[in-house]
Structure formats: structure tokens, C-alpha cells
């Protein structure tokens, strides 16, 4: 009996120790799990903080829409750049359709029915294609817009102000194709316009090249100096531009050499009319540095396709006609003659 009681008591104590051991182990595991969860939460908070920093420091607008096209976020840069009023967010974030409708109503998409603008954009969004395009806002700002669909639905869109970049690109392109002094097309752009005009004349019609050379420019330049000479060249360019139609091209080829591409003419006489008009512009003297300067203009004319069908052909023959004008007494115009 006594042995049995002792055995029972021993077994009972052993089980209690086991339970206590198991409980202690479970608590340790729970504590470890809590520590891991805390570390995970801290990591998650840090990632969220970094994500928020990226969103708010993104060099432009950034917005996110879910698969129902409800706005999830819109950074402050976008609100400021696109001039979103506080009322737009008064009842929470707007839907993408709300945003389209707001923009259409204030003229962001240009003229037209606002409902048509909204419907067209919603239809494009539903196709879920990535897109990149530029939009010029009513205030003149040029915005580059990039949209990308997200896996599982939704869209992320970025907005960058590229106004200055596009202006610089346009200025560089303009400088590459225009004379720095007179702002007329230079030889590069002139040749391109001439090539196009000849190609059109080959299909039917006629075009003319006028090669122009200022008479007695060097003595004037020597007398007035380079500053006065430059002032005179600018004034010459203005009178030449006044002589031609919008679809004609006046170019400065270098020094005191100019040229005109005349398009859309029907006969040689049309080219003669322009040449006489140009020469009449030089009948009155120029005022340069307080002095009255009288100069003339010699002109040589070649026609395409009559005199040639390449830029080199036409320019050589117009230059030959110019030589005839200068050797024949100056301040006159001549057509190229094969004989």
C-alpha cells in the first residue's frame, strides 16, 4: 500500500514537472514569436516610411488607382502641379472618372464636349495599356504623363513638368537650322526645303530658286565696320521676308549671299514677278548707324524641273544666272539659259 501510494505520488509529480516544462517551453515559443512579429512590424513600418518618402519626394506628380479606378493616393506635387483645389478632395479621394470630368470641365483637354473627353479616356483606361504622352496645359506648361497598369488591377500614373526641357530642345533645333544673325533659315534648312520643293515639282508644277547677292556690300561693310554691316544684313533679311509669301523660304547662305525657294508657281513669269518685287524693296536706302546706305541686289533664277531635278543642278544653274546678272551691270535678275 505504501509503495503504491509513493509510486502514484511520484508519477503525479513527474506529470506536473512535464506540464510545467511544456508550459515554460510554450511561453518561450510565444515570446519568440512576439519578438519576431514585433521585428516584422518594425520592418514593415520602416518600409512604409521609405515608401512615403519616395512618394512625397518624387520629382513630379504620382497617383495610384485601385482596380475599381478609385484613387488610393495622390502626392502633394501632383496636386500643386496640376492645380487641384481642396474641394476636389473634400469628400475623400476622387475616382478616376471624377478627375477626368474635373479636368474636362476646366478645359485641360482643349475644346469639345466634356462628356466626350471623359468617355474617350475611360475607354482607353479600360484597355489597360501602358501609355506615354504629353499634354500642354492651358497655362502653357507641358506635362509628360506615363501610366502603367498594375497586376491585379489598378493604375499608377506619373506627371513630369517637361516645359523647360522641351523649350531648350526647340531652341537647340532652331539654332541648328537658322542663321544666328538674321534668324533666317540657314543652308541646312534651305537645302532641305529645296529638296522638298523639287520633289513636289517633279510630280507636276514648277518651282524656282532665286540666288541673291548684295551689290557693293563690301565697301559699305568696310566703311561702317562689322557692327554696321551686321545691322545692314538684318535689315536686308527683313525686306526679303516682306517680299515673299508664307509658303516661300528666304535663307541666308553666308556673308551677303541669300536665296529664295519659290513654290506653287505656274510659269516662269511668276518667278519674274517675285524678282521684281524683291528688287523694288531695295529702291529705298537703308538707315544704318545714322547713315543712309544705298545698295542693290543681283538675282539669278533657275527653275525645276525645267533646268534640273536635283539640288546641285538647280543651285549651280541659279548661280550661273546670278553671274550673268552681276556681269551684265548688277541690280538686275536673269534666268538660267542653257546656251
Amino acid at each position: 500500500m505504501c509503495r503504491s501510494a509513493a509510486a502514484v505520488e511520484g508519477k503525479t509529480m513527474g506529470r506536473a514537472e512535464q506540464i510545467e516544462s511544456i508550459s515554460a517551453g510554450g511561453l518561450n515559443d510565444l515570446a519568440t514569436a512576439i519578438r519576431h512579429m514585433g521585428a516584422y512590424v518594425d520592418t514593415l513600418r520602416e518600409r512604409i516610411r521609405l515608401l512615403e518618402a519616395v512618394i512625397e519626394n518624387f520629382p513630379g506628380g504620382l497617383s495610384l488607382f485601385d482596380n475599381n479606378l478609385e484613387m488610393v493616393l495622390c502626392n502633394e506635387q501632383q496636386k500643386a502641379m496640376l492645380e487641384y483645389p481642396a474641394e476636389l478632395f473634400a469628400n475623400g479621394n476622387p475616382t478616376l472618372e471624377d478627375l477626368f470630368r474635373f479636368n474636362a470641365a476646366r478645359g485641360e483637354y482643349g475644346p469639345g464636349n466634356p462628356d466626350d473627353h471623359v468617355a474617350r479616356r475611360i475607354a482607353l483606361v479600360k484597355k489597360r495599356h501602358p501609355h506615354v504622352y504629353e499634354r500642354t496645359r492651358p497655362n502653357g506648361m507641358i506635362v509628360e504623363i506615363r501610366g502603367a497598369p498594375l497586376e491585379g488591377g489598378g493604375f499608377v500614373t506619373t506627371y513630369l513638368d517637361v516645359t523647360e526641357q522641351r523649350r531648350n530642345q526647340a531652341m537647340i533645333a532652331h539654332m541648328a537650322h537658322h542663321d544666328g544673325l538674321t534668324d533666317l533659315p540657314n543652308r541646312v534648312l534651305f537645302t532641305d526645303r529645296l529638296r522638298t520643293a523639287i520633289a513636289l515639282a517633279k510630280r507636276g508644277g514648277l518651282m524656282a530658286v532665286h540666288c541673291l547677292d548684295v551689290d557693293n556690300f563690301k565697301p559699305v561693310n568696310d566703311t561702317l565696320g562689322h557692327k554696321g554691316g551686321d545691322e545692314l544684313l538684318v535689315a536686308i533679311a527683313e525686306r526679303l521676308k516682306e517680299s515673299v509669301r508664307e509658303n516661300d523660304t528666304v535663307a541666308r547662305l553666308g556673308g551677303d549671299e541669300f536665296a529664295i525657294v519659290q513654290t506653287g508657281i505656274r510659269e516662269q513669269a511668276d518667278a519674274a514677278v517675285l524678282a521684281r518685287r524683291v528688287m523694288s524693296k531695295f529702291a529705298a536706302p537703308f538707315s544704318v548707324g545714322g547713315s543712309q546706305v544705298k545698295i542693290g541686289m543681283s538675282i539669278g533664277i533657275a527653275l525645276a524641273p525645267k533646268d534640273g531635278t536635283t539640288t546641285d543642278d538647280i543651285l549651280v544653274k541659279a548661280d550661273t544666272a546670278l553671274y550673268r546678272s552681276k556681269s551684265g551691270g548688277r541690280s538686275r535678275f536673269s534666268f538660267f539659259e542653257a546656251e
Side-chain angles (χ1 to χ4, degrees):
M1 293 287 292
C2 290
R3 286 180 179 176
S4 298
V8 169
E9 184 178 354
K11 289 179 180 179
T12 302
M13 291 295 291
R15 287 173 181 168
E17 290 173 354
Q18 289 176 356
I19 292 171
E20 183 177 351
S21 175
I22 292 170
S23 299
L27 290 173
N28 287 335
D29 290 342
L30 181 59
T32 300
I34 291 173
R35 283 197 300 273
H36 288 166
M37 186 177 293
Y40 174 75
V41 170
D42 289 341
T43 301
L44 192 60
R45 284 175 178 165
E46 178 62 15
R47 289 181 177 177
I48 292 172
R49 186 189 68 78
L50 291 174
L51 179 60
E52 288 175 342
V54 169
I55 291 171
E56 292 307 325
N57 289 282
F58 181 74
L62 189 151
S63 56
L64 175 65
F65 294 86
D66 62 19
N67 58 352
N68 294 318
L69 300 182
E70 301 273 350
M71 181 182 281
V72 176
L73 65 86
C74 177
N75 69 356
E76 293 302 318
Q77 289 91 318
Q78 180 169 332
K79 294 178 182 178
M81 179 192 302
L82 301 181
E83 300 174 294
Y84 292 159
E87 297 78 39
L88 188 62
F89 299 85
N91 298 317
N93 288 337
T95 65
L96 186 57
E97 183 174 347
D98 291 337
L99 197 56
F100 285 158
R101 199 164 295 283
F102 167 75
N103 281 332
R106 65 175 178 163
E108 286 286 321
Y109 305 141
N113 187 296
D115 290 335
D116 293 339
H117 284 302
V118 173
R120 187 161 56 252
R121 281 164 173 77
I122 288 293
L124 290 173
V125 168
K126 289 182 177 179
K127 291 181 179 179
R128 296 186 53 74
H129 294 320
H131 56 264
V132 180
Y133 64 95
E134 291 182 2
R135 186 173 82 224
T136 300
R137 300 196 59 229
N139 62 6
M141 177 188 290
I142 302 173
V143 182
E144 180 189 80
I145 302 169
R146 292 177 177 264
L150 300 176
E151 187 176 351
F155 252 93
V156 62
T157 307
T158 60
Y159 299 80
L160 293 176
D161 180 357
V162 295
T163 309
E164 196 64 28
Q165 181 182 347
R166 296 296 176 264
R167 284 175 181 166
N168 290 339
Q169 289 173 344
M171 182 177 67
I172 292 170
H174 184 85
M175 291 171 62
H177 294 92
H178 289 77
D179 175 52
L181 177 64
T182 63
D183 201 41
L184 290 176
N186 60 15
R187 187 178 291 272
V188 174
L189 183 54
F190 168 78
T191 303
D192 183 67
R193 298 271 178 89
L194 175 57
R195 186 180 296 113
T196 301
I198 291 173
L200 291 173
K202 286 180 183 178
R203 299 174 192 171
L206 197 64
M207 61 81 55
V209 171
H210 301 245
C211 282
L212 303 90
D213 189 78
V214 181
D215 296 328
N216 300 315
F217 177 77
K218 189 177 184 304
V220 174
N221 194 47
D222 292 341
T223 303
L224 299 177
H226 290 298
K227 183 178 179 181
D230 287 348
E231 186 179 341
L232 178 58
L233 288 171
V234 171
I236 291 170
E238 289 301 316
R239 292 196 188 182
L240 289 176
K241 285 191 290 186
E242 293 170 0
S243 304
V244 301
R245 302 164 302 172
E246 288 185 3
N247 56 320
D248 297 331
T249 298
V250 179
R252 183 186 178 206
L253 304 185
D256 61 339
E257 296 179 21
F258 296 83
I260 299 174
V261 175
Q262 184 185 13
T263 59
I265 60 176
R266 293 173 294 179
E267 55 187 359
Q268 180 172 301
D270 295 330
V273 170
L274 174 58
R276 290 191 184 95
R277 187 161 61 243
V278 168
M279 294 183 66
S280 69
K281 288 289 183 179
F282 290 82
F286 290 81
S287 178
V288 180
S291 301
Q292 295 295 303
V293 178
K294 187 74 170 65
I295 58 172
M297 183 71 75
S298 294
I299 305 173
I301 308 169
L303 305 172
K306 173 180 173 287
D307 298 324
T309 56
T310 69
T311 56
D312 288 343
D313 277 348
I314 294 299
L315 286 174
V316 166
K317 289 170 180 176
D319 198 55
T320 300
L322 174 61
Y323 178 77
R324 284 186 58 219
S325 293
K326 296 184 78 69
S327 61
R330 301 176 184 269
S331 296
R332 52 178 290 181
F333 68 89
S334 302
F335 285 95
F336 172 76
E337 296 179 4
E339 62 274 13

